[in-house]
Amino acid sequence: MGKLSQHMLSDIDKLPGVQLGDFLLQFELDEPKESVKEIAKRELRETPDVVKPAVEELRKLLKEDKDLHVPFDNDAWLIRFLRPCKFYPESAHDLIKRYYGFKSKHHKHYEGLVPSKETNIFNQNILTVLPTRDQHGRRILVLELGKNWKHNQCSLDEVFKGCVLFLEAAMLEPETQICGAVVVFDMNGLSMQQVWQFTPPFAMRIVDWLQESIPLRVKGLYIVNQPYIFNMVFQLFKPFLKEKLRSRIIFMGNDRELLHKHVTPKCLPECYGGTLSIPRVTGSQWLELLLMCDKEFEAINKYGYKKIK
């Protein structure tokens, strides 16, 4: 079994990459480096004597769960769910049930969800991942939902689907599974028309997704450049937030020092007071990479709760 095929559910045999000047953009499927393995050991109890029995036990639980159709023979796939649950098999089984339960509940957004059908959100260039990780090895997702967001051309549901595609891709990366991700919401120039796009059902879906249903450690949600009216948006989300997620949401406004306390400037582009020397990767450049993985997303979509005949 090749190194790539152990991470992928489809038969993609070559790791997709997009060359951007001197920088090669690709998903990072390598073995985690030593410093990251240390984090896994310290924070996730990840040692061979814990991992092996946890994988076996989770496989057993899933084989016995007749409602789910999942790739339980794939160890890397099982580890994706065990890592955020610190290798407790029952918790990982519960997470898998919530992950697929959410997909069933919101099936209209997930049905046939592949990058080639969602090109608009990426071409709008308001949703992107920074080219490098932060100082803690976390992926940095940036959403620009203020003046750069043309809400008449791109709905919040499309933004959600774009986030789901990025998340599924991030779940392939061992280092992201261990270190997690942070999200920067740049609300610069948010207008009243945009505020009206947010509804309680949308807010509830997003919080349910982030809080209960994703197998990724979301370590921080940083709101930057927000105008006063952003409070109206936040009020919609507030009733659904539990303490753990609420404590990770930080309102930073234009305070770059505060942002830099959480994300070191060398990982941030100039517009956030950073010194990142690699040009920012645009939404359409990420799309180019995601399109090479269409097959993988099709494979991901094959699994879940069995349809009731």
Side-chain angles (χ1 to χ4, degrees):
M1 203 172 177
K3 195 161 81 177
L4 192 59
S5 58
Q6 70 178 30
H7 290 285
M8 297 284 191
L9 298 173
S10 64
D11 56 3
I12 292 179
D13 51 0
K14 188 171 152 295
L15 184 63
V18 175
Q19 193 68 48
L20 305 172
D22 301 336
F23 180 72
L24 178 64
L25 182 67
Q26 56 185 178
F27 299 121
E28 299 170 1
L29 302 183
D30 301 338
E31 264 295 282
K33 47 185 186 281
E34 280 314 309
S35 57
V36 175
K37 283 182 175 163
E38 270 311 303
I39 295 174
K41 199 163 133 186
R42 193 173 63 240
E43 295 183 13
L44 309 178
R45 309 189 314 137
E46 188 168 333
T47 58
D49 52 330
V50 170
V51 173
K52 203 171 171 340
V55 167
E56 289 314 322
E57 178 59 23
L58 179 56
R59 195 181 338 264
K60 185 168 151 283
L61 290 168
L62 289 168
K63 275 183 175 165
E64 290 164 2
D65 188 333
K66 298 301 177 207
D67 299 327
L68 280 171
H69 168 52
V70 292
F72 52 64
D73 290 328
N74 182 318
D75 286 9
W77 183 86
L78 296 172
I79 286 170
R80 263 179 228 183
F81 290 90
L82 282 162
R83 279 185 171 133
C85 298
K86 304 192 165 116
F87 287 90
Y88 291 107
E90 288 80 6
S91 307
H93 183 208
D94 286 340
L95 174 59
I96 289 169
K97 289 195 284 195
R98 292 198 305 274
Y99 168 76
Y100 285 119
F102 185 88
K103 286 190 173 197
S104 298
K105 186 174 166 188
H106 301 287
H107 60 89
K108 73 169 198 287
H109 300 294
Y110 280 94
E111 216 87 325
L113 178 56
V114 291
S116 57
K117 288 192 183 154
E118 294 300 328
T119 55
N120 181 39
I121 173 62
F122 297 103
N123 290 330
Q124 293 285 335
N125 200 24
I126 54 169
L127 171 69
T128 181
V129 173
L130 295 184
T132 57
R133 295 171 180 274
D134 77 1
Q135 69 277 26
H136 303 296
R138 306 181 291 206
R139 280 287 194 187
I140 308 166
L141 176 70
V142 180
L143 280 123
E144 297 179 59
L145 291 178
K147 63 177 189 318
N148 293 343
W149 171 35
K150 304 178 182 72
H151 61 276
N152 300 326
Q153 292 173 26
C154 179
S155 70
L156 277 177
D157 283 339
E158 286 179 82
V159 175
F160 170 67
K161 289 196 270 192
C163 290
V164 169
L165 291 170
F166 266 141
L167 173 95
E168 295 280 358
M171 278 168 60
L172 298 171
E173 302 185 318
E175 189 167 340
T176 311
Q177 294 165 13
I178 292 166
C179 302
V182 296
V183 187
V184 175
F185 292 91
D186 185 344
M187 306 309 285
N188 188 13
L190 177 77
S191 71
M192 218 48 214
Q193 275 79 13
Q194 290 172 326
V195 169
W196 297 130
Q197 305 303 307
F198 292 87
T199 62
F202 178 80
M204 192 175 169
R205 184 199 329 152
I206 298 303
V207 175
D208 185 25
W209 184 59
L210 285 173
Q211 220 157 231
E212 312 294 343
S213 320
I214 61 175
L216 196 64
R217 312 172 75 203
V218 179
K219 306 297 276 184
L221 298 167
Y222 306 140
I223 319 283
V224 302
N225 299 332
Q226 75 279 15
Y228 183 72
I229 54 171
F230 178 72
N231 293 334
M232 293 170 69
V233 176
F234 187 63
Q235 292 310 318
L236 291 174
F237 288 82
K238 220 166 149 185
F240 309 117
L241 292 169
K242 292 180 187 161
E243 183 41 43
K244 187 174 168 186
L245 188 60
R246 174 67 191 88
S247 68
R248 292 180 175 178
I249 299 174
I250 302 172
F251 295 93
M252 299 181 166
N254 299 317
D255 185 343
R256 295 298 181 245
E257 254 174 55
L258 178 56
L259 175 59
H260 297 162
K261 262 192 196 127
H262 292 272
V263 183
T264 178
K266 70 171 195 292
C267 312
L268 289 168
E270 206 178 314
C271 60
Y272 301 122
T275 55
L276 180 67
S277 52
I278 304 167
R280 277 184 77 172
V281 183
T282 64
S284 19
Q285 289 166 334
W286 274 112
L287 174 63
E288 205 181 318
L289 185 63
L290 288 165
L291 286 172
M292 297 175 182
C293 302
D294 238 47
K295 238 160 108 176
E296 180 64 16
F297 286 96
E298 282 169 14
I300 289 168
N301 294 342
K302 285 204 311 253
Y303 297 104
Y305 274 101
K306 295 175 181 164
K307 301 265 192 296
I308 296 150
K309 298 280 183 284

